[in-house]
Amino acid sequence: KAGVTQTPRYLIKTRGQQVTLSCSPISGHRSVSWYQQTPGQGLQFLFEYFSETQRNKGNFPGRFSGRQFSNSRSEMNVSTLELGDSALYLCASSAGTLNTEAFFGQGTRLTVV
Amino acid sequence: AQSVTQLGSHVSVSEGALVLLRCNYSSSVPPYLFWYVQYPNQGLQLLLKYTSAATLVKGINGFEAEFKKSETSFHLTKPSAHMRDAAEYFCAVTTPSGGYNKLIFGAGTRLAVHP
């Protein structure tokens, strides 16, 4: 079956702009989690959505938001971009129970200039 | 709260040598532990996971890890390194209280394999 699809793969934005990233999970998966990966901070959990509801949230400012649609596809939005938001954003999907594997997409590389 | 410490940000081994990547965790409740591998410009791929069953866990590509509660460790090993094992490896933890898919990652260990 198809894996986790993230679009776009690469993105360049200017400071102050906003950006929307998309994640299509594996068919049948109801949980989508988002992570930010940077050289300085490593992999950090942003938030998790399950059945269209945010179930967990990491320690990121309110500029970072997300949502999940009825087909389990998820989007994350970053408003008022800062240079420090430059990162690889990874999405992971799973069935949504604890003992299930999280499958990661290839990520979206966001560069803020 | 949970946390993960990976000792050694870079590890270099010769092809055919033993691979040992260290991971120590902190958790107030029984943890679930994972090892992921990341190749350049790729996402993360699960190597293996510990979910309170057998303490010695075998994963893909010949890797295995042993959960040692007394040492709060979950070190990753492979008897014989291949060139294709060169990548970055991440240890991660989660718990029921931490959230079903809220993985807490270590800083990663970059493995280099030389001929």
Side-chain angles (χ1 to χ4, degrees):
Chain A
K1 53 184 173 182
V4 179
T5 303
Q6 291 189 246
T7 56
R9 287 292 311 279
Y10 301 92
L11 206 48
I12 300 175
K13 289 287 189 179
T14 304
R15 274 181 300 174
Q17 288 186 314
Q18 74 165 16
V19 67
T20 299
L21 312 181
S22 178
C23 173
S24 293
I26 292 171
S27 177
H29 284 187
R30 297 165 64 191
S31 169
V32 173
S33 297
W34 289 89
Y35 296 83
Q36 182 195 64
Q37 186 177 24
T38 60
Q41 299 299 316
L43 278 156
Q44 294 186 286
F45 173 79
L46 280 156
F47 30 66
E48 183 214 0
Y49 285 86
F50 181 79
S51 294
E52 301 180 65
T53 300
Q54 188 179 85
R55 188 159 68 171
N56 282 292
K57 189 176 188 303
N59 296 320
F60 277 81
R63 300 186 297 106
F64 292 81
S65 63
R67 59 177 175 169
Q68 187 179 34
F69 302 95
S70 58
N71 62 357
S72 293
R73 189 177 71 85
S74 177
E75 290 180 346
M76 68 163 281
N77 184 276
V78 187
S79 63
T80 319
L81 284 166
E82 301 177 358
L83 295 179
D85 298 332
S86 295
L88 180 66
Y89 290 89
L90 292 166
C91 160
S93 84
S94 77
T97 57
L98 189 58
N99 197 18
T100 55
E101 178 181 347
F103 293 85
F104 282 80
Q106 290 189 302
T108 294
R109 171 77 61 185
L110 171 65
T111 301
V112 182
V113 298
Chain B
Q2 300 83 43
S3 66
V4 172
T5 302
Q6 291 184 240
L7 297 175
S9 58
H10 291 81
V11 170
S12 181
V13 300
S14 299
E15 194 173 17
L18 170 72
V19 175
L20 171 60
L21 305 182
R22 300 178 186 273
C23 172
N24 288 90
Y25 69 91
S26 173
S27 177
S28 57
V29 298
Y32 285 17
L33 295 159
F34 307 80
W35 275 100
Y36 283 86
V37 61
Q38 185 177 35
Y39 298 99
N41 297 316
Q42 298 292 319
L44 302 173
Q45 180 183 16
L46 181 69
L47 284 175
L48 48 80
K49 64 181 180 182
Y50 166 76
T51 56
S52 73
T55 57
L56 181 61
V57 181
K58 294 188 183 298
I60 63 172
N61 301 339
F63 285 94
E64 64 180 39
E66 185 172 8
F67 173 71
K68 292 186 177 181
K69 183 178 178 180
S70 61
E71 299 177 8
T72 61
S73 69
F74 190 58
H75 302 332
L76 181 71
T77 61
K78 181 174 180 176
S80 177
H82 290 108
M83 298 294 289
R84 63 176 177 266
D85 295 328
E88 190 154 21
Y89 292 80
F90 294 92
C91 182
V93 64
T94 191
T95 68
S97 61
Y100 287 93
N101 287 301
K102 180 182 178 180
L103 292 169
I104 306 301
F105 286 92
T109 297
R110 188 169 298 277
L111 175 67
V113 182
H114 51 85

